[in-house]
Amino acid sequence: MPVEKKPGAFDIRIVIAALIGIYGVVLTILGVIADPAEVDKADGLNINLWGGIGMLVFTAVFVLWARLRPIAVPVSTNE
């Protein structure tokens, strides 16, 4: 009978979520400390803030997906 092993931190969804999360945090911080003159250039929409929040939501969904439906890698026990 094959044994199943979970990939854990090496799941590609976790790696992608970490990268998008880092960019999301940076954009959110830039959006919070944004100069009002720069926000006015974008017709009053703080693009960095909303883009960062969107990336953080995407990160949360990916991590939730990876935790709720982990990939099971079959490991053969042939000797």
Side-chain angles (χ1 to χ4, degrees), residues 2 4 12 17-18 23-25 29 34 39 41 43 45 50 54-55 62-63 67 69 78:
E4 292 184 352
I12 190 69
Y23 291 132
V25 167
I29 291 170
V39 175
K41 289 181 187 177
D43 201 24
L45 179 66
W50 288 107
M55 288 179 160
F62 250 55
V63 169
R67 295 295 175 219
R69 304 226 9 171
N78 296 339

Side-chain angles (χ1 to χ4, degrees), residues 53-77:
I53 290 171
M55 288 179 160
L56 292 175
V57 169
F58 177 85
T59 298
V61 169
F62 250 55
V63 169
L64 187 65
W65 176 32
R67 295 295 175 219
L68 292 178
R69 304 226 9 171
I71 296 173
V73 179
V75 178
S76 65
T77 57

Side-chain angles (χ1 to χ4, degrees), residues 3-56:
V3 178
E4 292 184 352
K5 181 179 176 186
K6 295 181 183 177
F10 297 108
D11 188 352
I12 190 69
R13 296 174 292 186
I14 299 296
V15 175
I16 292 170
L19 290 173
I20 298 295
I22 291 169
Y23 291 132
V25 167
V26 170
L27 278 179
T28 303
I29 291 170
L30 288 175
V32 169
I33 63 172
D35 183 23
E38 291 182 14
V39 175
D40 289 339
K41 289 181 187 177
D43 201 24
L45 179 66
N46 194 339
I47 296 171
N48 286 340
L49 180 64
W50 288 107
I53 290 171
M55 288 179 160
L56 292 175

